[in-house]
């Protein structure tokens, strides 16, 4: 049972435009959501997180939006840069279960 | 500094070998994790240590043996592995682990393991 889903395996965006990566979840008990970025042959790098009590968190070019009623979160990157090309994982955690659950990842390619 | 280091970067071993993966962090984190990641899949949790004690074992086969000698170090001892154990092994750490805790996990670069 995939509790965190990233339905788009890949996304291509032109440099300078906005990249929007989506993530859906099924478990309403998730308390905290994170986005990680992963380059090939490297470990995931933490990007940004959001608590379930908020609907938006911004850090520089990265903004995460949370829609609890729709069980949906998204990561906006603007403007997109070539160095943003990577696989992006959405992850969620339930305070009680103490376990990070990852989505399948979305490969973002930024085209010049 | 949010750095988690892992050695070796790459490891090739036969099914009868014994080898160890090492992970180190100096962020004062008291929780450390081992994950396994197969190609085009998300990381899967294997073990969690909290204050040097094993808190979670996700039903991992005994050919994988974790060890946490101190709060900065985490080892994964490997013995009699199978070719299907070939994967990227990731170490992570967080400030704390436990009920009511929502601390961010920081990952190392991983060890690419190939079992022949």
């Amino acid at each position: 049972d995939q509790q965190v889903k990233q339905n788009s395996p890949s996304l291509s965006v032109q440099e300078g435009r906005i990249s929007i990566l989506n993530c859906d979840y099924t478990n309403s008990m998730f308390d905290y959501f994170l986005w990680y970025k992963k380059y090939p042959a490297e470990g995931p790098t933490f990007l940004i997180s959001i608590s379930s009590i908020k609907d938006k968190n911004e850090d520089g070019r990265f903004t995460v939006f949370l829609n609890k009623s729709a069980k949906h979160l998204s990561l906006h990157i603007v403007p997109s840069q070539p160095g943003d090309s990577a696989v992006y994982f959405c992850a969620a955690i339930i305070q009680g279960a103490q376990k990070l659950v990852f989505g399948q990842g979305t490969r973002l390619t930024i085209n010049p | 500094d949010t750095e988690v280091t892992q050695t070796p970067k790459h490891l090739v071993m036969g099914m009868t070998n014994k080898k160890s993966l090492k992970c180190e962090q100096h962020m004062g984190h008291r929780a450390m994790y081992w994950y396994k990641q197969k190609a085009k899949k998300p990381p899967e949790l294997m073990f969690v240590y909290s204050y040097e004690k094993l808190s979670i074992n996700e039903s991992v086969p005994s050919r994988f043996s974790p060890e946490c000698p101190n709060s900065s170090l985490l080892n994964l001892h490997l013995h009699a592995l199978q070719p299907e154990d070939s994967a990227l092994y990731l170490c992570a750490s967080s400030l704390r682990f436990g009920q009511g805790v929502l601390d961010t996990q920081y990952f190392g670069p991983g060890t690419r393991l190939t079992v022949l």
Side-chain angles (χ1 to χ4, degrees):
Chain A
D1 176 32
Q2 190 72 31
Q3 296 188 70
V4 178
K5 300 177 186 178
Q6 293 174 257
N7 292 317
S8 297
S10 62
L11 176 67
S12 283
V13 174
Q14 198 166 1
E15 183 178 358
R17 298 285 186 104
I18 183 170
S19 295
I20 300 177
L21 297 116
N22 293 304
C23 178
D24 296 297
Y25 60 94
T26 56
N27 193 333
S28 57
M29 298 295 289
F30 284 133
D31 293 291
Y32 193 55
F33 302 89
L34 307 93
W35 284 95
Y36 286 88
K37 171 181 175 180
K38 187 178 184 303
Y39 293 118
E42 292 186 13
T45 302
F46 169 70
L47 265 181
I48 193 168
S49 62
I50 188 166
S51 164
S52 61
I53 61 172
K54 294 189 173 183
D55 55 18
K56 177 182 174 181
N57 188 25
E58 194 171 349
D59 183 3
R61 297 187 297 115
F62 303 93
T63 304
V64 57
F65 295 93
L66 176 62
N67 182 334
K68 283 188 69 176
S69 60
K71 295 194 180 69
H72 176 84
L73 66 155
S74 60
L75 174 68
H76 292 212
I77 307 173
V78 57
S80 300
Q81 298 174 355
D84 296 330
S85 295
V87 177
Y88 288 78
F89 287 99
C90 169
I93 190 165
I94 302 172
Q95 211 177 85
Q98 309 167 74
K99 183 177 165 181
L100 199 58
V101 180
F102 284 89
Q104 306 96 310
T106 296
R107 180 175 300 281
L108 175 66
T109 302
I110 305 302
N111 302 307
Chain B
D1 180 15
T2 55
E3 189 178 27
V4 177
T5 59
Q6 289 186 244
T7 55
K9 203 166 184 174
H10 300 277
L11 179 63
V12 179
M13 60 186 290
M15 289 191 281
T16 57
N17 292 156
K18 282 186 182 181
K19 296 284 184 185
S20 297
L21 309 184
K22 296 185 187 304
C23 173
E24 195 166 355
Q25 57 85 17
H26 296 287
M27 296 180 276
H29 289 178
R30 301 314 299 267
M32 296 186 78
Y33 310 75
W34 280 115
Y35 287 83
K36 174 181 177 178
Q37 186 177 21
K38 300 282 273 184
K40 299 187 179 179
K41 297 282 188 183
E44 294 178 356
L45 183 66
M46 299 174 72
F47 303 103
V48 183
Y49 272 83
S50 177
Y51 288 87
E52 296 100 73
K53 288 188 169 38
L54 185 64
S55 291
I56 290 182
N57 176 341
E58 289 284 299
S59 303
V60 179
S62 60
R63 57 186 185 268
F64 295 92
S65 175
E67 179 198 17
C68 190
N70 61 55
S71 60
S72 300
L73 292 173
L74 184 66
N75 298 320
L76 186 63
H77 302 298
L78 314 172
H79 174 55
L81 294 195
Q82 304 296 313
E84 58 265 28
D85 296 321
S86 298
L88 182 68
Y89 288 84
L90 294 162
C91 174
S93 72
S94 66
L95 191 59
R96 300 161 300 167
F97 176 82
Q99 288 282 347
V101 170
L102 293 171
D103 291 337
T104 299
Q105 293 180 29
Y106 295 90
F107 285 80
T111 293
R112 174 74 58 189
L113 174 69
T114 303
V115 182
L116 301 176

